Amino acid sequence: MTEGAIQVAEALASASRFLHACGVPEPRVDAELLLAHVLNLNRAMLFARDDRTLAPHDLQSFNRFVDRRGARREPLAYLTGRKEFYGVTLSVTPSVLIPRPSTETLVERAIALAPRRVLDLGTGSGAIVATLAANLPGTSFVATDVSPRAIAVARTNVPPGVDLRIGAGFEPVEGERFDLVVSNPPYIPSAEIDRLEPEVRHEPRDALDGGPDGLTVVRMILSRFRKHAERALVEIGPGQADVLRSEFPDVQFHKDLLGIDRVVEPC
């Protein structure tokens, strides 16, 4: 990376070339977002001041972030500590899965159902419950996760009224009833995880690993949720709908923007 007194435009060009050489998918965008983060600006302000000379400490900080993004392929969201999801800005750390656009399918369906009491299993960053709370005023929420570190992150993202609990599966809500259970569980087959993009391998494995065929936790939820709710929405991976359709005959699926069956909903 370039050192010395340089302007914003030059720093971005140099960083983009480095990130491209490292195989980062969107090198220019990531360079801009990292520099905006370092300078505490938004991207529009960054463009308006691209002839500005960077202070040495800002350039050094930027170069460190760019090296981590390129050489180590650390996810951008972990470097900036933020991720936009469904109109909400969330805090994220390596203790939680990074929210993805595919989960918006579940959020949209949940909003359409207008439940009054919701259980979010495996809340992670709290992305689902935070966006539902923003769109369903008057609804009450319980969110659980087996990881205390994930719950600590979720606490920074969800409204104060959300009841956060630590525990596995349905154990933290034994004997309680809800209108709806929602979950984005681990659903990647164990053997596939080490073949995923380098960025994904920085995310917590227990939030990714769904067992031999990826459906261990999904099956658990679909088999047990009726003890606690009449309805459930569970995110799944590509190609998993046919297996679930054969095992759970009364289910429907909701497609994401790519046309993939992304959410399973028991009828």
Side-chain angles (χ1 to χ4, degrees):
M1 289 297 300
T2 302
E3 297 288 350
I6 65 171
Q7 295 178 331
V8 164
E10 184 182 352
L12 288 174
S14 176
S16 298
R17 289 192 296 269
F18 174 76
L19 294 176
H20 176 75
C22 291
V24 172
E26 296 184 299
R28 178 70 187 197
V29 172
D30 283 14
E32 292 169 357
L33 290 171
L34 286 172
L35 187 53
H37 173 67
V38 168
L39 299 178
N40 197 28
L41 302 172
N42 60 42
R43 287 175 72 194
M45 295 171 65
L46 190 68
F47 300 146
R49 304 178 63 182
D50 65 358
D51 60 347
R52 164 184 173 176
T53 298
L54 291 174
H57 66 276
D58 287 333
L59 179 59
Q60 290 170 6
S61 179
F62 176 56
N63 284 345
R64 284 194 295 269
F65 276 124
V66 170
D67 184 66
R68 291 171 62 186
R69 181 70 187 98
R72 295 167 57 179
R73 295 296 290 272
E74 293 184 42
L76 179 69
Y78 289 160
L79 296 175
T80 64
R82 297 190 300 273
K83 181 67 176 179
E84 296 289 331
F85 177 77
Y86 209 79
V88 176
T89 301
L90 301 165
S91 297
V92 294
T93 76
S95 296
V96 297
L97 197 70
I98 298 169
R100 289 164 167 78
S102 57
T103 305
E104 293 184 0
T105 303
L106 185 153
V107 169
E108 290 172 353
R109 177 59 178 161
I111 292 172
L113 292 175
R116 302 301 296 172
R117 191 166 193 245
V118 176
L119 168 63
D120 179 16
L121 281 183
T123 193
S125 67
I128 292 174
V129 72
T131 52
L132 290 181
N135 287 273
L136 292 171
T139 297
S140 64
F141 298 91
V142 175
T144 70
D145 203 287
V146 71
S147 166
R149 290 182 297 177
I151 289 292
V153 175
R155 188 166 286 113
T156 69
N157 291 320
V158 304
V162 173
D163 185 355
L164 294 170
R165 305 180 190 177
I166 299 172
F170 291 98
E171 292 176 3
V173 294
E174 188 63 36
E176 296 184 51
R177 294 289 299 178
F178 301 85
D179 298 316
L180 176 67
V181 173
V182 296
S183 183
N184 176 16
Y187 54 72
I188 298 174
S190 304
E192 293 183 12
I193 293 176
D194 290 334
R195 298 195 294 267
L196 297 174
E197 297 86 352
E199 287 83 357
V200 178
R201 296 199 293 270
H202 285 274
E203 298 184 72
R205 190 180 183 97
D206 59 0
L208 299 168
D209 192 340
D213 66 352
L215 291 170
T216 299
V217 183
V218 174
R219 288 189 183 96
M220 181 278 292
I221 296 172
L222 295 179
S223 299
R224 302 180 187 178
F225 82 91
R226 290 196 189 278
K227 184 179 178 181
H228 300 277
E230 288 300 316
R231 312 190 80 145
L233 299 171
V234 184
E235 183 171 330
I236 60 173
Q240 295 178 334
D242 288 343
V243 175
L244 293 173
R245 192 178 283 112
S246 68
E247 296 181 5
F248 299 89
D250 296 323
V251 294
Q252 61 178 325
F253 297 89
H254 303 280
K255 297 183 183 296
D256 63 18
L257 293 177
L258 298 177
I260 296 170
D261 287 325
R262 183 59 69 176
V263 174
V264 57
E265 177 181 1
C267 301

